[in-house]
Coordinates of all heavy atoms in Angstrom, one line a residue:
M115 N 9.7 4.6 38.0 CA 8.8 3.5 37.7 C 9.5 2.2 37.5 O 10.5 2.1 36.8 CB 8.1 3.9 36.4 CG 7.1 2.8 35.9 SD 6.2 3.3 34.4 CE 4.9 4.3 35.0
T116 N 9.1 1.2 38.3 CA 9.7 -0.1 38.2 C 9.2 -0.8 37.0 O 8.3 -0.4 36.3 CB 9.3 -0.9 39.5 OG1 7.9 -1.2 39.5 CG2 9.7 -0.2 40.8
S117 N 9.9 -1.9 36.7 CA 9.5 -2.7 35.6 C 8.1 -3.3 35.7 O 7.3 -3.3 34.8 CB 10.5 -3.9 35.4 OG 11.8 -3.5 35.1
E118 N 7.8 -3.6 36.9 CA 6.4 -4.2 37.2 C 5.4 -3.1 36.9 O 4.3 -3.4 36.3 CB 6.3 -4.6 38.7 CG 5.0 -5.3 39.0 CD 5.0 -5.9 40.4 OE1 6.1 -6.4 40.8 OE2 4.0 -5.9 41.0
E119 N 5.6 -1.9 37.4 CA 4.7 -0.8 37.2 C 4.5 -0.5 35.7 O 3.4 -0.2 35.2 CB 5.1 0.5 37.9 CG 5.0 0.4 39.4 CD 5.7 1.5 40.2 OE1 6.6 2.1 39.6 OE2 5.2 1.8 41.3
R120 N 5.7 -0.5 35.0 CA 5.6 -0.2 33.5 C 4.8 -1.3 32.8 O 4.0 -0.9 32.0 CB 7.1 -0.2 33.0 CG 7.1 0.1 31.5 CD 8.5 -0.1 30.9 NE 9.1 -1.4 31.1 CZ 8.7 -2.5 30.4 NH1 7.9 -2.4 29.4 NH2 9.3 -3.6 30.6
I121 N 5.0 -2.5 33.1 CA 4.2 -3.6 32.5 C 2.8 -3.5 32.8 O 1.9 -3.6 31.9 CB 4.8 -5.0 32.9 CG1 6.2 -5.1 32.3 CG2 3.9 -6.1 32.4 CD1 6.9 -6.4 32.7
R122 N 2.4 -3.2 34.0 CA 1.0 -3.0 34.4 C 0.4 -1.8 33.6 O -0.7 -1.9 33.2 CB 0.9 -2.7 35.9 CG 1.1 -3.9 36.8 CD 0.9 -3.5 38.3 NE 1.4 -4.5 39.2 CZ 0.7 -5.5 39.6 NH1 -0.6 -5.6 39.3 NH2 1.2 -6.4 40.5
S123 N 1.1 -0.7 33.5 CA 0.6 0.4 32.7 C 0.4 0.0 31.3 O -0.6 0.5 30.6 CB 1.4 1.6 32.9 OG 2.7 1.5 32.3
E124 N 1.3 -0.7 30.7 CA 1.2 -1.1 29.3 C 0.0 -2.1 29.1 O -0.7 -2.0 28.1 CB 2.5 -1.8 28.8 CG 3.6 -0.9 28.6 CD 4.8 -1.6 28.0 OE1 4.7 -2.5 27.2 OE2 5.9 -1.2 28.4
I125 N -0.2 -3.0 30.1 CA -1.4 -3.9 30.0 C -2.7 -3.0 30.0 O -3.6 -3.2 29.2 CB -1.4 -4.8 31.2 CG1 -0.3 -5.9 31.0 CG2 -2.8 -5.5 31.3 CD1 -0.1 -6.8 32.2
E126 N -2.7 -2.0 30.9 CA -3.9 -1.1 30.9 C -4.1 -0.4 29.6 O -5.2 -0.3 29.1 CB -3.7 -0.1 32.1 CG -4.9 0.7 32.3 CD -4.8 1.7 33.4 OE1 -3.8 1.6 34.2 OE2 -5.7 2.6 33.5
V127 N -3.0 0.0 29.0 CA -3.1 0.7 27.7 C -3.7 -0.2 26.6 O -4.7 0.2 25.9 CB -1.8 1.2 27.2 CG1 -1.8 1.7 25.7 CG2 -1.3 2.4 28.1
W128 N -3.3 -1.5 26.6 CA -3.8 -2.4 25.6 C -5.2 -2.8 25.9 O -6.0 -2.9 24.9 CB -2.9 -3.6 25.5 CG -1.6 -3.4 24.8 CD1 -0.4 -3.3 25.3 CD2 -1.5 -3.1 23.4 NE1 0.5 -3.0 24.3 CE2 -0.1 -2.9 23.1 CE3 -2.4 -3.0 22.3 CZ2 0.4 -2.6 21.9 CZ3 -1.9 -2.7 21.0 CH2 -0.5 -2.5 20.8
E129 N -5.6 -2.9 27.1 CA -7.0 -3.2 27.5 C -7.9 -2.0 27.1 O -9.0 -2.3 26.6 CB -7.1 -3.5 29.0 CG -6.5 -4.9 29.3 CD -6.4 -5.2 30.8 OE1 -6.6 -4.3 31.6 OE2 -6.2 -6.4 31.1
N130 N -7.4 -0.8 27.3 CA -8.2 0.4 27.0 C -8.4 0.5 25.4 O -9.4 0.9 24.9 CB -7.6 1.6 27.6 CG -7.8 1.7 29.0 OD1 -8.7 1.1 29.6 ND2 -7.0 2.5 29.7
A131 N -7.3 0.1 24.7 CA -7.4 0.2 23.3 C -8.4 -0.8 22.8 O -9.1 -0.5 21.8 CB -6.0 -0.1 22.7
A132 N -8.5 -2.0 23.4 CA -9.5 -3.0 23.0 C -10.9 -2.5 23.2 O -11.8 -2.7 22.3 CB -9.3 -4.3 23.8
I133 N -11.1 -1.7 24.2 CA -12.4 -1.1 24.5 C -12.7 -0.1 23.4 O -13.9 0.0 22.9 CB -12.4 -0.4 25.9 CG1 -12.4 -1.5 27.0 CG2 -13.7 0.4 26.0 CD1 -12.1 -1.0 28.4
V134 N -11.7 0.7 23.0 CA -12.0 1.7 21.9 C -12.3 1.0 20.6 O -13.3 1.4 19.9 CB -10.7 2.6 21.7 CG1 -10.8 3.4 20.5 CG2 -10.5 3.5 23.0
Y135 N -11.6 -0.1 20.3 CA -11.9 -0.8 19.1 C -13.3 -1.5 19.2 O -14.0 -1.6 18.2 CB -10.8 -1.8 18.7 CG -9.6 -1.2 18.2 CD1 -8.4 -1.2 18.9 CD2 -9.6 -0.5 17.0 CE1 -7.2 -0.6 18.4 CE2 -8.4 0.1 16.5 CZ -7.3 0.1 17.2 OH -6.1 0.7 16.8
A136 N -13.7 -1.9 20.4 CA -15.0 -2.6 20.5 C -16.1 -1.5 20.3 O -17.1 -1.9 19.7 CB -15.1 -3.2 21.9
N137 N -15.9 -0.3 20.8 CA -16.9 0.7 20.5 C -17.0 1.1 19.0 O -18.0 1.2 18.5 CB -16.5 2.0 21.3 CG -16.7 1.8 22.8 OD1 -17.5 0.9 23.2 ND2 -16.0 2.6 23.6
A138 N -15.8 1.1 18.4 CA -15.8 1.3 16.9 C -16.4 0.2 16.2 O -17.1 0.4 15.2 CB -14.4 1.6 16.4
L139 N -16.3 -1.0 16.7 CA -16.9 -2.2 16.1 C -18.4 -2.1 16.1 O -19.1 -2.4 15.1 CB -16.4 -3.5 16.8 CG -17.0 -4.8 16.3 CD1 -16.7 -5.0 14.8 CD2 -16.5 -5.9 17.2
A140 N -18.9 -1.7 17.2 CA -20.4 -1.5 17.4 C -20.9 -0.5 16.4 O -22.0 -0.7 15.8 CB -20.7 -1.1 18.8
E141 N -20.2 0.6 16.2 CA -20.6 1.6 15.2 C -20.5 1.0 13.8 O -21.4 1.3 12.9 CB -19.7 2.8 15.3 CG -20.2 4.0 14.5 CD -19.5 5.3 14.9 OE1 -19.4 5.5 16.1 OE2 -19.2 6.0 13.9
C142 N -19.5 0.2 13.5 CA -19.4 -0.4 12.1 C -20.5 -1.3 11.9 O -21.1 -1.4 10.8 CB -18.1 -1.1 12.0 SG -16.6 0.0 11.9
E143 N -20.9 -2.1 12.9 CA -22.0 -3.0 12.7 C -23.3 -2.3 12.5 O -24.2 -2.7 11.8 CB -22.1 -4.0 13.9 CG -21.0 -5.0 14.0 CD -20.9 -5.8 15.2 OE1 -21.6 -5.5 16.2 OE2 -20.2 -6.8 15.2
K144 N -23.5 -1.2 13.2 CA -24.7 -0.3 13.1 C -24.9 0.2 11.7 O -26.0 0.2 11.2 CB -24.6 0.8 14.1 CG -25.7 1.8 14.0 CD -25.5 2.9 15.0 CE -26.7 3.9 15.0 NZ -26.4 5.0 15.9
Y145 N -23.8 0.6 11.0 CA -23.8 1.2 9.7 C -23.5 0.2 8.6 O -23.4 0.6 7.4 CB -22.9 2.4 9.6 CG -23.4 3.5 10.5 CD1 -22.7 3.8 11.7 CD2 -24.6 4.2 10.2 CE1 -23.2 4.9 12.5 CE2 -25.1 5.2 11.0 CZ -24.4 5.5 12.2 OH -24.8 6.5 13.0
G146 N -23.2 -1.1 8.9 CA -22.9 -2.1 7.9 C -21.6 -1.9 7.2 O -21.4 -2.3 6.1
D147 N -20.6 -1.4 7.9 CA -19.3 -1.2 7.4 C -18.5 -2.5 7.6 O -17.9 -2.8 8.6 CB -18.6 -0.1 8.1 CG -17.2 0.2 7.6 OD1 -16.7 -0.5 6.7 OD2 -16.5 1.1 8.2
Y148 N -18.5 -3.4 6.6 CA -17.9 -4.7 6.6 C -16.4 -4.6 6.8 O -15.8 -5.3 7.7 CB -18.2 -5.5 5.4 CG -17.5 -6.9 5.4 CD1 -18.1 -7.9 6.2 CD2 -16.4 -7.2 4.7 CE1 -17.5 -9.2 6.3 CE2 -15.8 -8.4 4.7 CZ -16.4 -9.4 5.5 OH -15.8 -10.6 5.6
G149 N -15.7 -3.8 6.1 CA -14.3 -3.6 6.2 C -13.9 -3.1 7.6 O -12.9 -3.5 8.2
G150 N -14.6 -2.1 8.0 CA -14.3 -1.5 9.4 C -14.5 -2.6 10.5 O -13.8 -2.7 11.4
R151 N -15.6 -3.4 10.2 CA -15.9 -4.5 11.2 C -14.7 -5.5 11.3 O -14.2 -5.8 12.4 CB -17.1 -5.2 10.8 CG -17.6 -6.1 12.0 CD -19.0 -6.7 11.6 NE -18.7 -8.0 11.2 CZ -19.3 -8.7 10.2 NH1 -20.3 -8.1 9.6 NH2 -19.0 -9.9 9.8
Q152 N -14.2 -5.9 10.1 CA -13.1 -6.8 10.1 C -11.8 -6.2 10.7 O -11.2 -6.9 11.5 CB -12.8 -7.2 8.6 CG -13.8 -8.0 7.9 CD -14.0 -9.4 8.5 OE1 -13.0 -10.0 8.8 NE2 -15.2 -9.8 8.8
Y153 N -11.6 -5.0 10.4 CA -10.4 -4.3 11.0 C -10.5 -4.2 12.5 O -9.5 -4.6 13.2 CB -10.3 -2.9 10.4 CG -9.2 -2.0 11.1 CD1 -7.9 -2.3 10.8 CD2 -9.5 -1.1 12.0 CE1 -6.9 -1.5 11.4 CE2 -8.5 -0.3 12.7 CZ -7.2 -0.6 12.3 OH -6.2 0.2 13.0
N154 N -11.6 -3.8 13.0 CA -11.8 -3.7 14.5 C -11.8 -5.0 15.2 O -11.2 -5.1 16.3 CB -13.1 -2.9 14.8 CG -13.0 -1.4 14.5 OD1 -12.1 -0.7 15.0 ND2 -13.8 -0.9 13.6
E155 N -12.3 -6.0 14.6 CA -12.3 -7.4 15.2 C -10.8 -7.8 15.3 O -10.4 -8.4 16.3 CB -13.1 -8.4 14.4 CG -14.6 -8.2 14.5 CD -15.3 -9.1 13.6 OE1 -14.7 -9.7 12.6 OE2 -16.6 -9.2 13.8
H156 N -10.0 -7.6 14.2 CA -8.6 -7.9 14.2 C -7.9 -7.1 15.3 O -7.1 -7.7 16.0 CB -8.0 -7.6 12.8 CG -6.5 -7.7 12.8 ND1 -5.8 -8.9 12.9 CD2 -5.6 -6.7 12.8 CE1 -4.5 -8.6 12.9 NE2 -4.4 -7.3 12.9
M157 N -8.1 -5.9 15.4 CA -7.4 -5.0 16.4 C -7.8 -5.4 17.8 O -6.9 -5.4 18.7 CB -7.7 -3.5 16.1 CG -7.0 -3.1 14.8 SD -5.2 -3.4 14.7 CE -4.6 -2.5 16.1
I158 N -9.0 -5.8 18.1 CA -9.4 -6.2 19.4 C -8.6 -7.5 19.8 O -8.1 -7.6 20.9 CB -11.0 -6.5 19.5 CG1 -11.7 -5.2 19.4 CG2 -11.3 -7.3 20.7 CD1 -13.2 -5.4 19.1
E159 N -8.6 -8.4 18.8 CA -7.8 -9.6 19.1 C -6.3 -9.3 19.3 O -5.7 -9.9 20.2 CB -8.0 -10.6 17.9 CG -7.3 -11.9 18.1 CD -7.9 -12.7 19.3 OE1 -9.1 -12.5 19.7 OE2 -7.2 -13.6 19.8
Y160 N -5.8 -8.4 18.5 CA -4.4 -8.1 18.7 C -4.1 -7.4 20.0 O -3.1 -7.8 20.7 CB -4.0 -7.1 17.6 CG -2.5 -6.6 17.6 CD1 -1.5 -7.5 17.2 CD2 -2.2 -5.4 18.1 CE1 -0.2 -7.0 17.3 CE2 -0.9 -4.9 18.2 CZ 0.1 -5.8 17.8 OH 1.4 -5.4 17.9
C161 N -5.0 -6.6 20.5 CA -4.9 -5.9 21.8 C -4.9 -6.9 22.9 O -4.1 -6.9 23.9 CB -5.9 -4.8 22.0 SG -5.8 -3.4 20.9
R162 N -5.8 -7.9 22.8 CA -5.9 -8.9 23.8 C -4.7 -9.8 23.8 O -4.2 -10.2 24.9 CB -7.1 -9.8 23.5 CG -8.4 -9.1 23.8 CD -9.6 -9.9 23.5 NE -10.9 -9.2 23.8 CZ -12.0 -9.5 23.3 NH1 -12.2 -10.5 22.5 NH2 -13.1 -8.8 23.6
I163 N -4.1 -10.1 22.7 CA -2.9 -10.9 22.6 C -1.7 -10.2 23.3 O -1.0 -10.7 24.0 CB -2.5 -11.3 21.2 CG1 -3.6 -12.3 20.6 CG2 -1.1 -11.8 21.0 CD1 -3.5 -12.6 19.2
R164 N -1.6 -8.9 22.9 CA -0.5 -8.1 23.5 C -0.7 -8.0 25.0 O 0.3 -8.1 25.8 CB -0.5 -6.7 22.9 CG -0.2 -6.6 21.5 CD 1.3 -6.9 21.2 NE 2.1 -5.9 21.9 CZ 3.4 -6.1 22.1 NH1 4.0 -7.1 21.7 NH2 4.0 -5.2 22.8
A165 N -1.9 -7.8 25.5 CA -2.1 -7.7 27.0 C -1.8 -9.0 27.7 O -1.2 -9.0 28.7 CB -3.5 -7.2 27.3
K166 N -2.2 -10.1 27.0 CA -1.9 -11.4 27.6 C -0.4 -11.7 27.6 O 0.1 -12.2 28.6 CB -2.6 -12.5 26.7 CG -2.7 -13.8 27.4 CD -3.5 -14.8 26.6 CE -4.9 -14.4 26.5 NZ -5.7 -15.4 25.8
K167 N 0.3 -11.3 26.6 CA 1.8 -11.5 26.5 C 2.4 -10.7 27.7 O 3.3 -11.2 28.4 CB 2.3 -11.1 25.2 CG 3.8 -11.3 25.1 CD 4.4 -10.8 23.8 CE 5.9 -10.9 23.7 NZ 6.6 -10.3 24.7
L168 N 2.0 -9.5 27.8 CA 2.5 -8.6 28.9 C 2.2 -9.2 30.3 O 3.0 -9.1 31.2 CB 2.0 -7.2 28.8 CG 2.6 -6.4 27.6 CD1 1.8 -5.1 27.4 CD2 4.1 -6.1 27.9
D169 N 1.0 -9.8 30.4 CA 0.7 -10.4 31.7 C 1.6 -11.6 32.0 O 2.0 -11.8 33.1 CB -0.8 -10.9 31.7 CG -1.3 -11.3 33.0 OD1 -1.0 -10.6 34.0 OD2 -1.9 -12.4 33.1
V170 N 1.9 -12.4 31.0 CA 2.9 -13.5 31.1 C 4.2 -12.9 31.6 O 4.9 -13.5 32.5 CB 3.0 -14.3 29.8 CG1 4.2 -15.3 29.9 CG2 1.7 -15.1 29.6
D171 N 4.7 -11.8 30.9 CA 5.9 -11.2 31.3 C 5.9 -10.7 32.8 O 6.9 -10.9 33.5 CB 6.2 -10.0 30.4 CG 6.5 -10.4 28.9 OD1 6.8 -11.7 28.7 OD2 6.5 -9.6 28.1
L172 N 4.8 -10.2 33.2 CA 4.6 -9.7 34.5 C 4.7 -10.9 35.5 O 5.4 -10.8 36.6 CB 3.3 -9.0 34.7 CG 3.0 -8.4 36.1 CD1 4.0 -7.3 36.5 CD2 1.6 -7.8 36.1
Q173 N 4.1 -12.0 35.2 CA 4.1 -13.1 36.1 C 5.5 -13.7 36.2 O 6.0 -14.1 37.3 CB 3.1 -14.2 35.6 CG 1.7 -13.8 35.6 CD 1.2 -13.3 37.0 OE1 1.6 -13.8 38.0 NE2 0.5 -12.2 36.9
Q174 N 6.2 -13.7 35.1 CA 7.6 -14.2 35.1 C 8.5 -13.2 36.0 O 9.4 -13.7 36.7 CB 8.2 -14.3 33.7 CG 7.6 -15.4 32.9 CD 8.1 -15.4 31.5 OE1 8.7 -14.4 31.0 NE2 7.8 -16.5 30.8
L175 N 8.2 -11.9 35.8 CA 9.0 -10.9 36.6 C 8.7 -11.1 38.1 O 9.7 -11.1 38.9 CB 8.6 -9.5 36.2 CG 9.4 -8.4 36.8 CD1 10.8 -8.5 36.4 CD2 8.8 -7.1 36.4
K176 N 7.5 -11.4 38.5 CA 7.1 -11.6 39.9 C 7.8 -12.8 40.4 O 8.2 -12.9 41.6 CB 5.6 -11.7 40.0 CG 4.9 -10.4 39.9 CD 3.4 -10.6 40.2 CE 2.6 -9.4 40.1 NZ 1.2 -9.6 40.4
S177 N 7.9 -13.9 39.6 CA 8.4 -15.2 40.1 C 9.9 -15.2 40.1 O 10.5 -16.1 40.7 CB 7.9 -16.3 39.3 OG 8.4 -16.3 38.0
A178 N 10.6 -14.2 39.5 CA 12.0 -14.2 39.5 C 12.6 -13.7 40.8 O 12.1 -13.1 41.6 CB 12.5 -13.3 38.3

């Protein structure tokens, strides 16, 4: 597995994790779980930040 493939797979993992947290967020909103809602919103944002950082790393690797 090349560095580029590894980074692409990590990006996919973080994007999938964001989907999982988004589904959990919907359930928290359905049942009025404020703490769960806050946690899932935070984790969605964290996953997006991680994926974005990896995407920047991938672009730098491609341009090198």
